[in-house]
Amino acid sequence: MNEINRKYDVNKRDDAATSVVGEILLMALVIILVSLFAASAFDLLPGDRQSVADVSMSVNDDNTLSFWHKGGDWIAGDDLTVTMTKDSTKDILQPIETKPLVDWEGQPKAVFDLGGCYTVKLPDPIPTGEVSIRLTSSDSVLYAFDGVLKP
């Protein structure tokens, strides 16, 4: 009788370890799948974008170029650079002297934004023939001019 009681003892269960191991395996599988989906989702996020601004240029009587911000992103004034090259030689002409960045009212500004004016002095003498002028920021070309300057 003692042997029969051991076979049918309701207090002794061997299947508990199997269910715990199964739950742990299911949790591990869920964690792995969630991490894979999260890694895949990060690949779908957009990257950094370039600054975009609508800029116009005018040649002034005092041998300066004025770049006017007509719309788009604002750009830090320290990021702006103007280069001028002769198309025939592709050599960069002497450094262009910049004037303080101002807004449409003539007040000093730290950023080039809507209504802002960035003025640079042309090299002396003004180059003849075809020239290329580029107003650039650290990540994009904001304005490009290829042609002949008429003082």
Side-chain angles (χ1 to χ4, degrees), residues 93-108:
L93 300 176
Q94 66 188 21
I96 297 175
E97 176 189 340
T98 60
K99 295 190 175 186
L101 186 62
V102 295
D103 65 7
W104 62 277
E105 294 178 320
Q107 301 298 319

Side-chain angles (χ1 to χ4, degrees), residues 126-140:
I126 296 175
T128 57
E130 292 265 335
V131 294
S132 293
I133 299 171
R134 300 287 184 264
L135 173 64
T136 59
S137 68
S138 58
D139 62 353
S140 63

